Amino acid sequence: MHYRSGRLSEEIKKEVSKMIFEEIKDPRISNMTSITDIEVTKDLRYAKIYISVYGNDDEKKSTLEGLKSATGFIRHELGKRIKLRYTPELIFEIDNSIEYGAHISKILRELDKQESEDI
């Protein structure tokens, strides 16, 4: 069962990415949006889609709103493209892990710079 949810996650990621970039024409959705991860529940009823948006907080918020308003369309299209008995309920969430990683890298560079100045 775990193997199936992993395959389903990859399939959903591929199809939703394609829809975001090629089919959904909502101006609220940033061009700098990427899907970082998808978690599908064991019963395949829910799929949590983590997105990363390059931009400020307003762009992130509006992209999330645009995706949430397009959820019905996305789910309907997924149902047609991926042959499943039940199409999972989609939940979009902002993933800040890339920004967090960049922040940690910046701190480490600053510490390294300070350390080399102290020598």
Side-chain angles (χ1 to χ4, degrees):
M1 188 70 149
H2 180 68
Y3 173 70
R4 182 160 183 217
S5 67
R7 281 190 318 186
L8 182 59
S9 294
E10 286 304 310
E11 200 63 31
I12 290 172
K13 186 175 186 177
K14 183 176 78 173
E15 293 298 334
V16 173
S17 291
K18 191 188 300 183
M19 283 184 242
I20 288 173
F21 293 112
E22 296 173 7
E23 298 167 38
I24 299 173
K25 302 296 182 213
D26 193 323
R28 296 176 290 182
I29 299 174
S30 170
N31 291 334
M32 301 298 285
T33 301
S34 62
I35 297 174
T36 56
D37 193 24
I38 295 183
E39 292 176 359
V40 179
T41 57
K42 287 187 189 333
D43 62 2
L44 308 178
R45 294 283 181 183
Y46 297 93
K48 196 176 277 190
I49 302 173
Y50 294 95
I51 59 165
S52 177
V53 181
Y54 185 76
N56 60 32
D57 287 340
D58 289 338
E59 288 173 307
K60 290 178 186 177
K61 186 178 173 190
S62 70
T63 296
L64 194 57
E65 287 172 2
L67 287 172
K68 284 182 178 178
S69 74
T71 299
F73 168 77
I74 294 170
R75 187 170 179 223
H76 178 73
E77 286 296 310
L78 271 178
K80 288 197 294 192
R81 298 175 191 194
I82 301 173
K83 303 294 183 242
L84 290 173
R85 186 174 301 140
Y86 182 83
T87 305
E89 197 73 37
L90 305 177
I91 303 160
F92 287 96
E93 287 193 13
I94 296 287
D95 181 5
N96 293 316
S97 62
I98 294 173
E99 290 172 351
Y100 182 73
H103 178 68
I104 296 297
S105 294
K106 180 182 173 196
I107 290 171
L108 291 172
R109 280 194 305 275
E110 289 172 1
L111 286 173
D112 192 40
K113 184 179 172 185
Q114 286 177 355
E115 200 173 270
S116 63
E117 288 173 0
D118 291 344
I119 296 178

